[in-house]
Amino acid sequence: LREPGLNLRVVQLFRDPRAVHNSRLKARQALLRESVQVLRSRHRAEPRGPARHQQQHLLLPPGLLGGGRAPQPQHRAEFFLGGALEVICQAWLRDLLLARRAPDWLRRRYTQLRYEDLVREPRAELRRLLRFAGLTVPPALEDFVLNMTRGAAYSSDRPFLISARDAREAVHAWRERLSRQQVRQVEAACGEAMSILAY
């Protein structure tokens, strides 16, 4: 970012962690390998202590682990998905705190985008992002982003299908699909980052 020969800009995309958890649960098998990799990254980067070990199981279904045993085979995916989301939220928090204290040279080259803002105001957010990048907004790109976020329907059964759909429904889909306990667990694990991001 400090290299004068590079005109680098960073756009960091965030999404409500409750919605992230909901999507990850629906695609648990497809994300199993990715979740294991995310968990391994934490174990390589951070020392483990008693406090961190306690926090590690916030997003696990009740009764998943008993007496220090490994998770039951039918719950392995939930075990890894929950732990991975905690690691992701911790990384988000580090990034957000760094951005808050950033010097001017970094602030000029870094911006944040919330998925929910893009879905609610696709044209305005697209213009903001392209202005930040020093690019113009081609009318065809505006039409494309509006089409992709205002399609005829939303299918929660295929969360990673790239197609025109009503993405506004995806913003709050977690409210109908996550239990109160799951919501509380996500909020406990990701609360600081969620507060900074106004979730």
Side-chain angles (χ1 to χ4, degrees):
L1 283 168
R2 294 187 213 209
E3 172 58 50
L6 294 176
N7 186 15
L8 181 67
R9 298 284 191 273
V10 176
V11 177
Q12 187 167 11
L13 176 66
F14 293 97
R15 187 173 182 198
D16 187 324
R18 294 164 294 200
V20 171
H21 193 53
N22 181 52
S23 291
R24 291 176 66 83
L25 286 173
K26 284 185 295 189
R28 62 175 54 98
Q29 289 309 122
L31 292 174
L32 187 56
R33 183 173 292 168
E34 179 267 352
S35 296
V36 171
Q37 289 300 107
V38 169
L39 283 170
R40 284 183 182 154
S41 74
R42 171 170 55 185
H43 294 302
R44 283 193 303 265
E46 298 177 3
R48 292 185 62 178
R52 180 134 337 262
H53 183 70
Q54 275 183 332
Q55 191 180 22
Q56 181 179 359
H57 302 299
L58 280 173
L59 292 172
L60 301 179
L64 181 65
L65 294 177
R69 293 188 313 249
Q72 298 298 314
Q74 67 269 26
H75 296 301
R76 285 185 72 231
E78 286 89 345
F79 173 83
F80 291 121
L81 286 171
L85 183 62
E86 288 183 41
V87 174
I88 290 167
C89 284
Q90 291 163 7
W92 283 4
L93 181 60
R94 285 192 303 271
D95 292 344
L96 290 163
L97 293 175
L98 176 66
R100 275 188 168 179
R101 299 185 298 258
D104 287 341
W105 62 264
L106 177 57
R107 287 179 198 220
R108 287 190 300 270
R109 294 174 179 258
Y110 171 85
T111 193
Q112 298 166 350
L113 172 65
R114 293 185 339 154
Y115 170 81
E116 294 78 9
D117 297 332
L118 179 63
V119 165
R120 288 186 188 109
E121 298 291 336
R123 285 185 170 137
E125 287 299 313
L126 177 65
R127 286 187 199 118
R128 181 180 74 83
L129 289 175
L130 292 178
R131 193 169 44 249
F132 166 74
L135 301 171
T136 58
V137 184
L141 187 55
E142 262 194 27
D143 292 343
F144 174 79
V145 75
L146 195 63
N147 177 55
M148 292 301 285
T149 57
R150 297 291 190 272
Y154 168 69
S155 171
S156 64
D157 297 329
R158 301 177 70 188
F160 299 112
L161 176 68
I162 307 300
S163 64
R165 58 184 181 166
D166 191 349
R168 292 169 296 186
E169 289 186 38
V171 169
H172 298 293
W174 62 268
R175 293 175 188 264
E176 297 171 11
R177 292 178 179 87
L178 293 183
S179 69
R180 284 189 176 143
Q181 181 180 2
Q182 288 172 315
V183 170
R184 281 194 298 267
Q185 289 171 335
V186 172
E187 290 172 350
C190 302
E192 285 184 80
M194 291 175 70
S195 177
I196 293 172
L197 289 164
Y199 286 126

